[in-house]
Amino acid sequence: APSRRYCDYMEFVHDFVIEFGRKCVDLVHQHGKKAYVFYDDHWVGVEPNSPRFAEFGFDGLIKCVFNAFEVRLCSHSRGVATHELRLHPYLFPTGLKGEPTFKAGGNPTLDAKNFWIDARRGIVRAPIDRIGLGGYLSLVEPFPDFQDYIEGLVKEFRLLKSFHAGDKPWTAPFKVAVLTAWGDLRAWICSGHFTRGLELNEILESLAGLPLDVQFISFDDLVAQGVPKGVKVIINAGRAGSAWSGGHFWSEPKVEAILTQWVQQGGGLVGVGEPSALAQPGRLFRLAQVLGLDRDRGEQLANGKFNYTSPAGLRRQEAAAPADASVAGVAEHFITSDLTAAPDFGKDVDGIYVFGSETQVLAERTAEKSPTIATHAFGKGRSVYLSGFKFTYDNTRLLHRAIYWAAAQEEGWRVWATTNVKTECAYFRKAGKLVVINNAGTDEETVVTLGDGKTEQRVKLEAHGIAILDA
């Protein structure tokens, strides 16, 4: 987590880069050309999410993308008229890791499909103005199937772009806020491209394609202004000491007080990994009483722990999925309804212990008796805890349901949702169009529940396919 001095130094660098960069942009404009900034591996001093970014005078921003949250990162930046994506694969003989692309043994068409379906989840949710490729155009000549696929991809992009014109896709009737040390300055980003293993990175990839209005707030924002209006769920995710969990910012008593009261009065909290963690004697999680659990890193060895009921022993709830959807070792609950196997969160945390029977454990590390999914009612509010997170179809659906449950909005979850976790949809009201996408490399079938919450539409999709329906 950044120190105050570090943030001050960033401001100092930002001031210099704006002053010098503006001179460069003015020179470009004096020659009748447009000035674009390439937003990629680092952006020291440029800070495209800064409120001052517009002072550069750039005409556009180009973002190299591999996945959905990078699309959202590009679209989110303010202060330019044009947002452009540079797609993969690059027109180079080999990929970033030396694997063959436009050479013997390569399959650039399949690469393009896989990159596109990952990025498309973000393009469906947020407007992008232009797309392009980079590299040596001559390399595509021996690959006519690649040329044909890109032609179809461009038509698909233009159609999606037309839906965004003067419209926004439907989102849930409440807002979701991601709380980090950086807030909006690092919206939709943790560390460069999609770095696997960072809980928040994985969460952002899931969020990037979900029908949710997501905003990013800092601890300073929280202390100064409280929880933003309309926000019903706050997500705090990451390891202790990281900027994503919050680190030293949790030492400010007002932060704990504001969030505790907010949840008690009806807010929803989703904590992942080591949320609200502050390494000091006593509790590790500052919001442990809200979550109904904490993490023991060795300090509690001499203390007894509450012996909760294992997930396999919990009785079925009304909101659970049909009987044939139950998963061994996972309690049946609204949140876990679509799981087809025990959740895989990658390198998650252990040593989680609950405080009492009010905390319901939905899944656990059986050998360690350490919860991996748990829910807790706190006053009029609710919390959900996940011991980690990894971007998968099942986990994305799990997160989507967890957010709705934390918001106490389960009844409305079916609206504009798909039954098949490998598929997603977006409804554009002004255009009257329903976009259904297949994120898998296999043919899939899904059912979409329309806006009335009752009418259903069955859709068949080819591998990587898309369907545009009147709705």
Side-chain angles (χ1 to χ4, degrees):
S3 67
R4 299 294 181 190
R5 186 175 184 182
Y6 186 82
C7 291
D8 289 344
Y9 183 70
M10 286 179 61
E11 285 287 333
F12 171 77
V13 174
H14 193 34
D15 288 342
F16 167 76
V17 175
I18 290 175
E19 180 183 1
F20 181 78
R22 180 71 207 211
K23 295 176 182 177
C24 298
V25 172
D26 287 344
L27 281 172
V28 172
H29 287 164
Q30 288 171 19
H31 289 270
K33 303 295 183 180
K34 291 186 176 181
Y36 275 55
V37 58
F38 199 90
Y39 187 5
D40 200 24
D41 293 331
H42 66 79
W43 47 91
V44 174
V46 178
E47 300 297 347
N49 279 347
S50 164
R52 298 187 59 199
F53 178 62
E55 295 178 28
F56 281 103
F58 285 115
D59 299 286
L61 177 148
I62 300 172
K63 179 73 183 79
C64 168
V65 298
F66 292 90
N67 54 283
F69 78 65
E70 291 184 305
V71 174
R72 301 298 298 268
L73 176 65
C74 177
S75 179
H76 185 77
S77 181
R78 294 165 295 279
V80 293
T82 304
H83 299 78
E84 179 177 331
L85 303 180
R86 186 66 51 82
L87 302 179
H88 281 82
Y90 262 51
L91 308 183
F92 294 156
T94 61
L96 294 176
K97 299 179 180 179
E99 70 278 12
T101 303
F102 291 95
K103 62 182 296 186
N107 188 343
T109 303
L110 181 60
D111 291 342
K113 288 180 179 179
N114 288 327
F115 283 124
W116 175 246
I117 62 171
D118 286 343
R120 182 175 62 185
R121 296 181 62 245
I123 292 172
V124 167
R125 304 306 319 175
I128 292 293
D129 302 298
R130 290 170 38 158
I131 58 174
L133 294 166
Y136 301 97
L137 194 59
S138 60
L139 290 176
V140 309
E141 291 182 20
F143 298 92
D145 57 330
F146 177 81
Q147 298 174 39
D148 291 341
Y149 179 73
I150 295 299
E151 180 183 14
L153 181 156
V154 170
K155 291 178 180 177
E156 187 175 312
F157 167 75
R158 288 172 176 159
L159 183 59
L160 294 174
K161 176 184 173 181
S162 71
F163 295 157
H164 280 289
D167 197 5
K168 291 183 178 180
W170 180 91
T171 57
F174 59 88
K175 296 179 180 179
V176 177
V178 178
L179 174 64
T180 70
W182 293 113
D184 195 68
L185 192 65
R186 291 289 177 270
W188 296 111
I189 191 66
C190 284
S191 177
H193 296 295
F194 192 177
T195 304
R196 285 286 190 175
L198 289 174
E199 293 92 345
L200 187 55
N201 243 9
E202 308 272 357
I203 289 171
L204 293 181
E205 186 64 7
S206 289
L207 289 175
L210 291 177
L212 299 168
D213 185 346
V214 182
Q215 61 187 92
F216 295 79
I217 60 174
S218 70
F219 292 89
D220 289 342
D221 295 333
L222 193 67
V223 171
Q225 304 163 18
V227 177
K229 185 178 180 180
V231 169
K232 189 64 177 173
V233 175
I234 290 177
I235 298 173
N236 182 236
R239 296 302 176 98
S242 70
W244 319 118
S245 175
H248 65 81
F249 286 92
W250 286 105
S251 63
E252 168 56 66
K254 290 182 180 178
V255 172
E256 182 179 342
I258 289 170
L259 291 176
T260 299
Q261 183 181 42
W262 179 74
V263 177
Q264 195 275 336
Q265 293 177 346
L269 174 69
V270 175
V272 183
E274 294 180 300
S276 73
L278 183 66
Q280 63 181 28
R283 293 176 296 162
L284 176 63
F285 299 166
R286 303 314 300 164
L287 297 180
Q289 60 179 343
V290 177
L291 294 164
L293 51 76
D294 201 356
R295 187 184 184 203
D296 175 21
R297 299 190 296 181
E299 305 94 329
Q300 304 293 326
L301 286 176
N303 299 328
K305 297 183 178 65
F306 178 80
N307 188 22
Y308 62 82
T309 303
S310 293
L314 291 176
R315 302 178 68 179
R316 183 178 181 78
Q317 298 185 2
E318 291 182 4
D324 59 0
S326 60
V327 177
V330 178
E332 293 171 346
H333 188 277
F334 170 81
I335 293 175
T336 60
S337 294
D338 290 318
L339 286 181
T340 56
D344 176 11
F345 292 150
K347 190 178 180 181
D348 61 348
V349 301
D350 58 6
I352 301 299
Y353 64 98
V354 305
F355 296 152
S357 59
E358 297 82 7
T359 304
Q360 184 177 5
V361 177
L362 304 183
E364 66 176 351
R365 287 187 177 199
T366 306
E368 297 96 334
K369 192 77 171 174
S370 179
T372 55
I373 305 175
T375 64
H376 183 241
F378 183 75
K380 297 179 180 179
R382 295 173 170 182
S383 71
V384 179
Y385 174 77
L386 308 177
S387 61
F389 197 82
K390 183 168 74 173
F391 172 64
T392 66
Y393 302 134
D394 279 347
N395 289 345
T396 297
R397 178 60 57 87
L398 177 78
L399 178 65
H400 194 188
R401 283 183 171 273
I403 289 170
Y404 262 76
W405 187 86
Q409 297 281 338
E410 305 99 301
E411 294 299 321
W413 184 85
R414 285 169 50 85
V415 174
W416 301 119
T418 62
T419 56
N420 185 334
V421 299
K422 297 178 182 179
T423 65
E424 292 173 312
C425 69
Y427 171 60
F428 292 85
R429 183 183 61 83
K430 291 183 179 179
K433 297 295 184 181
L434 172 64
V435 178
V436 187
I437 57 175
N438 180 6
N439 298 322
T442 54
D443 294 347
E444 299 292 337
E445 185 173 328
T446 192
V447 175
V448 180
T449 301
L450 305 188
D452 61 7
K454 299 177 182 178
T455 308
E456 297 182 339
Q457 186 152 357
R458 188 171 298 275
V459 185
K460 292 183 178 181
L461 297 157
E462 296 180 348
H464 304 105
I466 185 171
I468 310 295
L469 309 171
D470 292 327

